[in-house]
Amino acid sequence: MSFKGQHILSVKQFDRDNISRIFEIARQMAPYASRKKRTRVLDGAILGNLFFEPSTRTRVSFGCAFNLLGGEVRETTGMESSALSKGESLFDTARVISSYSDVIAMRHPQAGSVAEFAEGSRVPVLNGGDGANEHPTQALLDLFTIERELAASGLQIDGMHIAMVGDLKFGRTVHSLSKLLCLYRNIKVTLVSPAELAMPDDIVSNLADAGHQLVISDKLEGHLNADIVYQTRIQEERFPSKADADQYRGKFRLNQEIYTRYCKSNTVIMHPLPRDSRMEANELDNDLNLNPNLAIFRQADNGVLVRMALFALTLGVENIVKDYECAVPWYSNK
Ligand code: NCD
């Protein structure tokens, strides 16, 4: 696949070569993300950053990624402050915003909405999460993180053991990540969730068809000795009410004591964030913060690299980023 001018709507678009290419470009972005150098390769370009659902990291990291490549960001946040709340169609919004911008990142609560929007867009659209459906840029940064973290123990994605824990029904990050894992070989995938929040059947079938070994459980005990434990938040916003979500909160807590008892000494802990740190949930306790295998902040940092790579590729500048380099004159402790 050539990335230039393409929408990024689903991980199903990618093969392993595409992913290797994205990761190769992402690694090249490290000096800019760590402020060792600047690049102005996207000087003059505009990102339309449209977030119709709550977000901190994804929205800001899309924006920072674009800024770090020298581009400008225009954004709108929240449904109520947009013309969609006046009845405008996604198509009309797309036609207008795509004439104002060079690329668009978008998040929306409805499954399929970003693809519908892309039909009206004249510039590439990057899906920042469409309801419970997909979150392709998150899955790419998750896989990038998995590859990096496993390499430290001499392991690879092929042949690894990953346990995904929590709300696997509504969690779009685990949906997209599972679909990506189908491109790899011989993975043991453990799915731990309450039965009512199980991974959708079609995704489980895809994992089985890919030849992966599947373990499905509604208990955490006995399933934590994986290479990667990918914890998730109960996706309260997709439940009919807070009370419905409350039934499942706090069921699968992970803290240092449980880690010491059940995980391997080098089990990597991931979470797309935000972790729900309220007492009744506390799915990843703060006492893990000093555990060197807690990768959640490295994971979030990797999001900037991967999103920079996706902008460079979709705008066709991935090979000339260096030609637009300049110095960083300000103090930086990164
Ligand atoms: C996730 C999301 O929005 O799907 N967050 C993120 O993008 N990093 C996960 C979540 O909200 O629980």
Side-chain angles (χ1 to χ4, degrees):
M1 146 184 187
S2 154
F3 290 92
K4 192 167 160 182
Q6 296 295 313
H7 303 306
I8 307 288
L9 300 174
S10 162
V11 292
K12 288 196 168 152
Q13 292 169 243
F14 305 126
D15 60 22
R16 275 179 79 148
D17 286 344
N18 301 148
I19 292 168
S20 300
R21 181 73 179 137
I22 295 168
F23 290 0
E24 182 190 359
I25 303 297
R27 283 189 291 271
Q28 292 169 16
M29 297 301 174
Y32 313 112
S34 62
R35 315 298 199 272
K36 297 211 165 42
K37 294 172 190 166
R38 297 175 66 200
T39 175
R40 293 185 174 135
V41 71
L42 290 185
D43 184 20
I46 295 177
L47 165 69
N49 209 20
L50 311 183
F51 274 70
F52 300 113
E53 211 188 32
S55 172
T56 304
R57 248 150 313 270
T58 307
R59 179 171 64 83
V60 177
S61 72
F62 267 121
C64 286
F66 207 74
N67 289 148
L68 286 166
L69 290 166
E72 300 269 352
V73 182
R74 288 286 166 271
E75 66 185 6
T76 170
T77 53
M79 198 68 92
E80 40 332 301
S81 60
S82 90
L84 291 176
S85 67
K86 297 181 180 174
E88 185 171 55
S89 67
L90 287 168
F91 183 90
D92 284 4
T93 309
R95 281 307 285 261
V96 174
I97 302 300
S98 65
S99 88
Y100 295 169
S101 352
D102 298 278
V103 59
I104 292 171
M106 177 175 166
R107 169 174 288 189
H108 191 283
Q110 227 174 293
S113 53
V114 182
E116 185 185 334
F117 178 93
E119 280 170 29
S121 173
R122 288 175 277 196
V123 300
V125 175
L126 277 57
N127 182 358
D130 62 321
N133 184 36
E134 277 229 31
H135 196 344
T137 65
Q138 179 74 40
L140 289 166
L141 77 89
D142 288 343
L143 198 67
F144 183 80
T145 304
I146 291 171
E147 189 176 79
R148 278 198 158 175
E149 297 286 327
L150 290 184
S153 310
L155 299 169
Q156 291 177 339
I157 301 169
D158 289 322
M160 72 165 173
H161 177 194
I162 182 169
M164 296 187 221
V165 181
D167 184 350
L168 307 184
K169 177 179 180 187
F170 295 120
R172 55 192 169 199
T173 71
V174 285
H175 297 168
S176 288
L177 180 59
S178 299
K179 291 176 196 171
L180 269 191
L181 293 182
C182 293
L183 297 172
Y184 293 79
R185 282 187 300 275
N186 193 28
I187 299 178
K188 178 170 173 188
V189 183
T190 301
L191 302 172
V192 178
S193 71
E196 300 84 353
L197 302 183
M199 185 69 88
D201 288 344
D202 57 323
I203 300 180
V204 174
S205 307
N206 288 344
L207 286 165
D209 292 346
H212 298 326
Q213 183 191 338
L214 283 172
V215 177
I216 298 177
S217 176
D218 60 0
K219 304 224 166 16
L220 198 52
E221 292 77 41
H223 298 294
L224 286 172
N225 62 342
D227 300 313
I228 305 284
V229 171
Y230 190 105
Q231 177 67 291
T232 64
R233 176 181 69 88
I234 299 297
Q235 305 283 291
E236 179 180 328
E237 60 275 39
R238 318 244 177 264
F239 285 76
S241 71
K242 180 175 177 298
D244 286 289
D246 283 342
Q247 298 176 62
Y248 303 106
R249 245 190 276 274
K251 275 211 185 305
F252 303 120
R253 295 166 195 261
L254 194 53
N255 59 25
Q256 186 56 47
E257 191 205 325
I258 296 172
Y259 185 95
T260 308
R261 191 148 12 128
Y262 298 110
C263 292
K264 300 197 302 177
S265 61
N266 60 351
T267 296
V268 175
I269 305 169
M270 294 177 59
H271 190 303
L273 301 180
R275 55 177 156 171
D276 187 343
S277 292
R278 288 172 289 193
M279 234 169 49
E280 61 275 23
N282 204 24
E283 63 235 11
L284 270 190
D285 197 283
N286 280 331
D287 72 0
L288 287 161
N289 288 0
L290 292 176
N291 184 325
N293 296 317
L294 184 78
I296 57 176
F297 299 118
R298 296 191 287 276
Q299 185 182 356
D301 288 349
N302 289 337
V304 172
L305 303 180
V306 168
R307 292 185 172 115
M308 287 177 81
L310 290 170
F311 285 133
L313 284 158
T314 51
L315 294 176
V317 295
E318 71 277 14
N319 295 322
I320 53 168
V321 175
K322 257 180 164 307
D323 302 346
Y324 291 81
E325 261 177 15
C326 48
V328 174
W330 63 82
Y331 163 77
S332 171
N333 67 351
K334 284 205 186 357

